[in-house]
Amino acid sequence: MQQAKLHHAEQSNLQSDTCDGASDSIVNTAPSDNIHDNYHIYTDGGYFEKLDVGGWGLVIFKNDQEILRDSGWQKQTSSLEMELYAAKKALEHINDISDIKQNFNYDNDTKYQETRQSNKRLDSSSKLTSSFSITLFTDSRILIEGLTEKYAMWCANQWRVKSGKTVVYKELWQSLSKLTQQQKVTLRWIKGHNGNLGNTVADSLARQAVINKTQFS
């Protein structure tokens, strides 16, 4: 499989609120002179109502060179769940290649059927060092607004909305917030379907996962 090379990245600055572990790290800051490796993550998710199947996709670049892509599908889901899961899965992949071990357990994701690409396994040269930055690009405003604007309110309200119901996808939101905090992730919004290479690859992977599921099941 031919790997893509990232030539440039979109810029979009966002601020964050904090609450019980919600991350300050998602605030964009000036890059450090000590950063040697830049990891750019692109994620996407969607739901096909007629098929009742959702798909997610992700691609990770290290210093503008693609190193990993992953995708999968799930039945009876939503576009938001797929967007959240794609971001969470991408950061778990980053954790897998990191020499900084995290001290918490991930959720059991067996219900998410995955289709991993041939370049998922990384060589030792892809190990994270102490001098790295991680930026996650998404076309989902809801994802970014949830982590940067609504998370503190959800915490303060014991994860209840005005109707008294529990926030939808509470566990995914909490896992994603913890990952962004522990990995000091910067979140950036990009416009979807606008010619950005990383977004195009992630979108294509999500769609292909759904197509493969419907063709071979």
Side-chain angles (χ1 to χ4, degrees):
M1 177 183 64
Q2 184 176 4
Q3 297 180 350
K5 185 173 175 90
L6 190 65
H7 295 289
H8 60 77
E10 303 289 337
Q11 303 282 321
S12 179
N13 294 329
L14 292 168
Q15 300 267 323
S16 71
D17 297 320
T18 59
C19 169
D20 295 334
S23 176
D24 277 328
S25 62
I26 52 183
V27 179
N28 290 324
T29 57
S32 169
D33 293 336
N34 295 324
I35 290 177
H36 297 154
D37 293 321
N38 292 293
Y39 290 83
H40 286 175
I41 303 169
Y42 292 82
T43 63
D44 202 9
Y47 173 67
F48 297 82
E49 186 174 2
K50 290 184 179 180
L51 301 173
D52 193 23
V53 177
W56 56 269
L58 66 92
V59 59
I60 300 176
F61 296 87
K62 176 183 178 182
N63 299 331
D64 295 344
Q65 184 67 45
E66 181 186 333
I67 61 170
L68 184 150
R69 57 174 65 184
D70 197 1
S71 62
W73 58 268
Q74 183 190 339
K75 297 194 66 175
Q76 299 178 337
T77 183
S78 70
S79 292
L80 177 57
E81 185 176 18
M82 293 291 90
E83 293 276 12
L84 294 173
Y85 185 76
K88 173 176 175 285
K89 191 66 180 178
L91 295 181
E92 288 178 348
H93 279 310
I94 288 290
N95 199 57
D96 287 344
I97 64 175
S98 174
D99 55 7
I100 305 172
K101 301 300 182 183
Q102 311 297 349
N103 56 4
F104 64 97
N105 295 322
Y106 295 119
D107 298 332
N108 186 343
D109 296 323
T110 54
K111 69 175 182 176
Y112 300 94
Q113 308 300 315
E114 299 177 21
T115 308
R116 299 182 182 181
Q117 303 296 321
S118 59
N119 65 329
K120 177 188 177 297
R121 293 188 178 275
L122 308 180
D123 59 33
S124 59
S125 65
S126 293
K127 283 284 186 180
L128 290 178
T129 66
S130 59
S131 55
F132 63 88
S133 69
I134 302 171
T135 306
L136 189 149
F137 297 84
T138 175
D139 60 10
S140 173
R141 290 190 182 276
I142 296 177
L143 185 155
I144 292 181
E145 289 172 359
L147 288 176
T148 61
E149 299 177 18
K150 296 181 179 180
Y151 198 89
M153 178 184 65
W154 291 335
C155 290
N157 293 335
Q158 302 299 311
W159 288 91
R160 299 285 179 180
V161 295
K162 289 183 179 180
S163 66
K165 295 182 179 180
T166 301
V167 174
V168 179
Y169 310 129
K170 169 187 173 182
E171 291 78 11
L172 276 175
W173 284 114
Q174 290 175 329
S175 296
L176 189 53
S177 177
K178 184 170 284 190
L179 282 161
T180 58
Q181 177 185 16
Q182 294 191 339
Q183 296 179 357
K184 303 185 184 304
V185 177
T186 296
L187 296 180
R188 302 200 181 203
W189 179 82
I190 55 172
K191 185 176 181 179
H193 310 286
N194 197 41
N196 178 281
L197 174 61
N199 177 258
T200 298
V201 172
D203 175 75
S204 178
L205 288 169
R207 291 176 180 274
Q208 192 61 47
V210 173
I211 293 172
N212 291 343
K213 191 274 172 190
T214 56
Q215 285 183 341
F216 299 108
S217 61

